[in-house]
Each structure stands twice: as structure tokens, then as C-alpha cells.
Amino acid sequence: MSEIRKHYFLDDYCIVAAARGKRPSDFSSSPEVQNATSCVFCAGREDQTPPALAVYKNGKILQDSKDEVIRDWQIRCIPNLYPALSPEGADTPCQSGYGFHEVIIETPQHEKKLTNFSDEEMYLLMKAYRDRVIHYWKQPQIRYVSLFKNWGKQAGASLEHTHSQLIALPLIPPSIKRETDVIQAKGECPYCEIVCRESASERSIYENKYFIAFAPYCSKVPFEIWFLPKEHVCHLGALSTEMLFSLGVAMRYVLSRLETVLGSPSYNYMFFQLMKDDTYHLNIRLQPVTSKMAGFEKNTDIFINTMPPEKAAEYLNNEMSEQEIH
Ligand SMILES: [Zn+2]
Ligand SMILES: [Zn+2]
């Protein structure tokens, strides 16, 4: 049986095609070969990248200078060598091409994955995300800061060493604008409603003091997962230390479960947030990459998802092997 599902509050749809009855192994991928021999994100090759704009080291935030690169760091933020947008070349911020593109190298160790991070390491990463987003939001003419992670070649990562990216834009993306228009017309926060609806639903996956994680009702792709702060918080900058810590723990937990159930999937996660609009509710969306967007999706923007979110949550919540759940 297939079912057309509508997004919680937007005119977006997906087709949940449960009849195909796929199992997690149909979506799993094998780990990619790691090659550290020429990786410029690794410790010891700091001078092969542009100078770092922020370096997290022993509780301090430092910067590389012309004469000295900082070694023995924990997190290193550098300008992207091939930026999608750049502040240089544009005489005024209004000119096309203006923006910033940064890479956040999450660890000096090549083989380490987020699922191997300690609570403290996850917290430091969340803190770096928060600091860098706020930094770019304060730049002239910047209207939106896109923060995301591509993990695995299928998800668009050109380097294997674990990293995230941030692109600061002089415009608000149309999809965000469309969302905020609906939210403002509604007059109340739909995400706060979603928190109530999903925290005890059959799609719920994880909950701690400040965050919930669940497979959204209208999941576009198999094993899509959203993270929402339980309180109405607009952006990372409004999260307390304790909340950032909770977010890090929640994200690592869910990524570990995905790894157990799917092997080592490629994935993207994206932060949706607005700095100057207190009606918006911070949300983070994680999408494993299990298939390519094809003609139907490109034609209609309606995704066919062959893993119902209820079933995905069941797999992620269950310690049993997949043979035992049908
Ligand atoms: Zn490396
Ligand atoms: Zn809210």
C-alpha cells in the first residue's frame, strides 16, 4: 500500500511506498576506504591549507597568523579553498558572488568519525558551530548562514576527513522564506506543535532534557531524522551550554544507531535557523543518502520513500536484528 503524506504545515508531499517492504540492508552501504597519506585536513599539514580563522585548542579560540600556524588543535576552521561564494572580488556586498565559505575540520585525526567522539568533543563541535554561525551572521549584508555536513562520497563529501561546511549568503533561501511566510500567517509555531506530537509518537527515536529526535511523518528519504529543541529556540546562538551539550549527545546517539542499522551510510545533515526572526524554531535534519534524486522527484518535488518513518524508528529503536522485525 502506498500513501501520499502531507508535510506538517507546508504544501509538500511524499509518497510512502511501504508495499515494497524494504529492509535496512537494502539501504546500507559499505564503509569507504580511508586514505590519510595526502589529506590536508590531518594534523601536521596545517601549512597546506589557507590560514585558519578559528582554532579551538585547550579551551581557547585562536587564529593562525602569517608567520605561525597553530598545531595540536581540536577543531580548525579554514576558508574553503574553492569557495562557492567569497568576500573578495566583489566591490560591494550587493554584487553577485559575495559571501563566505568555511570548512570546519572536526578533529585532527583522519580515521575518527562523529560516532567515536566523546560527549565533550561533541559539545565542542556544537560550540564551534554556534560561534561560527554567529560570526558570519554579523557580517555586512549576510542574510542567511547555511551550516551542513556531507559525510561520504555519495553525500557529496570530496574529502574523507570528517568536516562540516558553512556558507554565508546575502539572501534568504526561497524555501526558508516560504516556510517563514506560512509560520507568520499561522501566528503560532508549528515546530512547537511537532515537538508535542512526535515526542511520544511511534516515530520517536530519542529524547533528552532539551532535544527530541524522530523520523518525520513526511520523511522524504529512508531513515530521515529531525532534531528539535523542546523549547522554542530560534538559532544555535540562543542555546545554553547545557543545551548545546544535549544536542551533541543526541546527534551522536542517532548517528550511532544509524551506523548499527545501516552499516556506514553516507549522509547529510543541515541546520535550519534564523537569527533575526524569533518566530522560527531551530531544527536539524539528517538525511542518509540511499538513492539518487531521479526524474519523478525533479519533475514534481515529491519524494518516493520506500521506508515508512514508523518502520525506520522501529529499526532504530530496536536492538533486534532485522530478521526479527518484519
Ligand atoms: Zn585527514
Ligand atoms: Zn517553536
Short mmCIF file of all heavy atoms in Angstrom, two decimals, residues 9 11 24 28 30 33-34 68 75 91 104 107 135 140 150-151 172 179 202 219 244 255 259 308 319:
data_model
loop_
_atom_site.label_atom_id
_atom_site.label_comp_id
_atom_site.label_asym_id
_atom_site.label_seq_id
_atom_site.Cartn_x
_atom_site.Cartn_y
_atom_site.Cartn_z
N PHE A 9 3.12 21.27 7.96
CA PHE A 9 2.44 22.56 7.80
C PHE A 9 2.71 23.23 6.44
O PHE A 9 2.20 24.31 6.18
CB PHE A 9 2.81 23.53 8.94
CG PHE A 9 4.28 23.84 9.04
CD1 PHE A 9 4.80 24.98 8.44
CD2 PHE A 9 5.14 23.00 9.74
CE1 PHE A 9 6.15 25.27 8.53
CE2 PHE A 9 6.50 23.28 9.84
CZ PHE A 9 7.00 24.43 9.23
N ASP A 11 2.82 22.92 2.01
CA ASP A 11 2.22 22.15 0.91
C ASP A 11 3.30 21.30 0.25
O ASP A 11 3.64 21.49 -0.92
CB ASP A 11 1.59 23.10 -0.11
CG ASP A 11 0.23 23.56 0.35
OD1 ASP A 11 -0.45 22.78 1.07
OD2 ASP A 11 -0.17 24.68 0.02
N PRO A 24 16.50 -2.67 6.20
CA PRO A 24 17.67 -1.77 6.31
C PRO A 24 18.82 -2.16 5.41
O PRO A 24 19.50 -1.31 4.84
CB PRO A 24 18.05 -1.89 7.79
CG PRO A 24 16.77 -2.19 8.47
CD PRO A 24 15.98 -3.06 7.51
N SER A 28 21.86 -0.07 3.08
CA SER A 28 23.17 0.06 3.72
C SER A 28 24.27 0.18 2.67
O SER A 28 24.10 -0.20 1.52
CB SER A 28 23.43 -1.12 4.65
OG SER A 28 23.35 -2.30 3.93
N SER A 30 28.74 0.04 2.24
CA SER A 30 29.94 -0.43 2.94
C SER A 30 30.84 0.76 3.25
O SER A 30 30.83 1.78 2.55
CB SER A 30 30.68 -1.44 2.08
OG SER A 30 30.80 -0.93 0.78
N VAL A 33 36.96 3.45 1.90
CA VAL A 33 38.37 3.29 2.23
C VAL A 33 38.94 4.65 2.63
O VAL A 33 38.73 5.65 1.94
CB VAL A 33 39.14 2.74 1.01
CG1 VAL A 33 40.60 2.53 1.34
CG2 VAL A 33 38.51 1.43 0.55
N GLN A 34 39.62 4.68 3.73
CA GLN A 34 40.19 5.93 4.21
C GLN A 34 41.65 6.01 3.79
O GLN A 34 42.39 5.05 3.91
CB GLN A 34 40.11 5.97 5.75
CG GLN A 34 38.69 5.86 6.28
CD GLN A 34 38.05 7.22 6.46
OE1 GLN A 34 38.66 8.13 6.98
NE2 GLN A 34 36.81 7.35 6.04
N GLU A 68 52.82 31.99 11.68
CA GLU A 68 52.73 30.80 12.52
C GLU A 68 51.39 30.10 12.37
O GLU A 68 50.34 30.75 12.47
CB GLU A 68 52.91 31.22 13.99
CG GLU A 68 53.20 30.07 14.90
CD GLU A 68 52.87 30.36 16.36
OE1 GLU A 68 52.58 31.52 16.69
OE2 GLU A 68 52.90 29.40 17.14
N ILE A 75 39.69 21.59 16.99
CA ILE A 75 38.84 21.89 15.83
C ILE A 75 39.48 23.06 15.09
O ILE A 75 39.99 24.00 15.71
CB ILE A 75 37.40 22.26 16.27
CG1 ILE A 75 36.69 21.03 16.86
CG2 ILE A 75 36.59 22.82 15.09
CD1 ILE A 75 35.29 21.30 17.39
N ASP A 91 33.12 44.38 -5.17
CA ASP A 91 33.42 45.70 -4.61
C ASP A 91 32.43 46.08 -3.53
O ASP A 91 32.76 46.74 -2.56
CB ASP A 91 33.40 46.76 -5.72
CG ASP A 91 34.58 46.55 -6.68
OD1 ASP A 91 35.58 45.95 -6.22
OD2 ASP A 91 34.48 46.94 -7.84
N ILE A 104 34.84 23.46 8.52
CA ILE A 104 35.10 23.21 9.95
C ILE A 104 35.66 21.79 10.06
O ILE A 104 34.94 20.81 9.85
CB ILE A 104 33.81 23.38 10.77
CG1 ILE A 104 33.29 24.81 10.62
CG2 ILE A 104 34.05 23.01 12.24
CD1 ILE A 104 31.91 25.05 11.20
N THR A 107 38.13 17.27 13.74
CA THR A 107 39.13 16.56 14.55
C THR A 107 40.44 16.53 13.75
O THR A 107 40.40 16.50 12.51
CB THR A 107 38.68 15.11 14.88
OG1 THR A 107 39.79 14.38 15.42
CG2 THR A 107 38.20 14.37 13.64
N HIS A 135 29.33 34.44 14.06
CA HIS A 135 30.36 35.28 13.44
C HIS A 135 29.92 35.74 12.05
O HIS A 135 30.03 36.92 11.71
CB HIS A 135 31.68 34.51 13.36
CG HIS A 135 32.73 35.19 12.54
ND1 HIS A 135 33.47 36.25 13.05
CD2 HIS A 135 33.15 35.00 11.26
CE1 HIS A 135 34.30 36.67 12.09
NE2 HIS A 135 34.13 35.94 11.01
N PRO A 140 28.46 42.22 7.21
CA PRO A 140 27.53 43.07 6.46
C PRO A 140 26.81 42.30 5.35
O PRO A 140 27.43 41.47 4.68
CB PRO A 140 28.45 44.16 5.87
CG PRO A 140 29.84 43.70 6.09
CD PRO A 140 29.83 42.70 7.19
N ASN A 150 28.43 17.05 4.92
CA ASN A 150 28.35 15.98 3.94
C ASN A 150 29.29 14.87 4.41
O ASN A 150 30.49 15.13 4.60
CB ASN A 150 28.83 16.45 2.56
CG ASN A 150 28.06 17.65 2.04
OD1 ASN A 150 26.90 17.85 2.40
ND2 ASN A 150 28.70 18.45 1.20
N TRP A 151 28.76 13.70 4.62
CA TRP A 151 29.61 12.59 5.07
C TRP A 151 29.52 11.46 4.06
O TRP A 151 28.43 10.94 3.80
CB TRP A 151 29.18 12.12 6.47
CG TRP A 151 29.86 10.85 6.89
CD1 TRP A 151 29.29 9.61 6.97
CD2 TRP A 151 31.23 10.69 7.31
NE1 TRP A 151 30.22 8.69 7.39
CE2 TRP A 151 31.42 9.31 7.61
CE3 TRP A 151 32.32 11.56 7.43
CZ2 TRP A 151 32.64 8.81 8.04
CZ3 TRP A 151 33.54 11.05 7.86
CH2 TRP A 151 33.69 9.70 8.16
N ILE A 172 17.99 35.32 1.70
CA ILE A 172 17.30 34.24 2.42
C ILE A 172 16.85 33.21 1.39
O ILE A 172 16.21 33.58 0.40
CB ILE A 172 16.08 34.79 3.19
CG1 ILE A 172 16.54 35.88 4.15
CG2 ILE A 172 15.31 33.66 3.88
CD1 ILE A 172 16.09 35.79 5.56
N GLU A 179 8.69 28.94 4.17
CA GLU A 179 8.36 28.41 5.49
C GLU A 179 7.98 29.53 6.46
O GLU A 179 6.97 29.44 7.17
CB GLU A 179 9.59 27.67 6.03
CG GLU A 179 9.29 26.29 6.53
CD GLU A 179 10.44 25.70 7.30
OE1 GLU A 179 11.45 25.32 6.67
OE2 GLU A 179 10.36 25.61 8.52
N GLU A 202 4.98 6.99 17.50
CA GLU A 202 5.66 5.77 17.07
C GLU A 202 6.88 6.09 16.20
O GLU A 202 7.63 5.20 15.81
CB GLU A 202 4.68 4.88 16.29
CG GLU A 202 4.06 5.60 15.12
CD GLU A 202 2.92 4.85 14.44
OE1 GLU A 202 2.93 3.62 14.44
OE2 GLU A 202 2.03 5.54 13.91
N SER A 219 8.62 11.87 5.80
CA SER A 219 10.06 11.70 5.53
C SER A 219 10.30 11.62 4.03
O SER A 219 9.69 10.81 3.34
CB SER A 219 10.57 10.40 6.17
OG SER A 219 10.57 10.48 7.57
N LEU A 244 23.54 22.91 24.28
CA LEU A 244 24.50 22.52 23.23
C LEU A 244 25.04 21.12 23.52
O LEU A 244 25.19 20.30 22.62
CB LEU A 244 25.68 23.50 23.19
CG LEU A 244 25.48 24.83 22.47
CD1 LEU A 244 26.73 25.69 22.64
CD2 LEU A 244 25.18 24.64 20.99
N LEU A 255 23.35 9.03 15.22
CA LEU A 255 24.32 8.59 14.21
C LEU A 255 24.83 7.18 14.52
O LEU A 255 25.02 6.36 13.61
CB LEU A 255 25.49 9.57 14.12
CG LEU A 255 25.16 10.91 13.45
CD1 LEU A 255 26.29 11.92 13.64
CD2 LEU A 255 24.85 10.73 11.96
N GLU A 259 24.41 3.85 12.22
CA GLU A 259 25.56 3.04 11.85
C GLU A 259 25.29 1.57 12.16
O GLU A 259 25.63 0.69 11.38
CB GLU A 259 26.77 3.54 12.64
CG GLU A 259 28.08 3.31 11.96
CD GLU A 259 29.20 4.03 12.70
OE1 GLU A 259 29.76 3.44 13.66
OE2 GLU A 259 29.49 5.18 12.35
N PRO A 308 8.84 3.43 5.43
CA PRO A 308 7.95 4.26 6.24
C PRO A 308 8.66 4.74 7.51
O PRO A 308 9.39 3.96 8.13
CB PRO A 308 6.80 3.31 6.60
CG PRO A 308 6.87 2.22 5.60
CD PRO A 308 8.30 2.09 5.20
N GLU A 319 16.99 -3.28 19.34
CA GLU A 319 18.29 -3.93 19.37
C GLU A 319 18.28 -5.22 18.56
O GLU A 319 19.31 -5.80 18.29
CB GLU A 319 18.71 -4.24 20.81
CG GLU A 319 18.98 -3.01 21.67
CD GLU A 319 20.09 -2.12 21.11
OE1 GLU A 319 21.02 -2.64 20.48
OE2 GLU A 319 19.99 -0.90 21.29
#
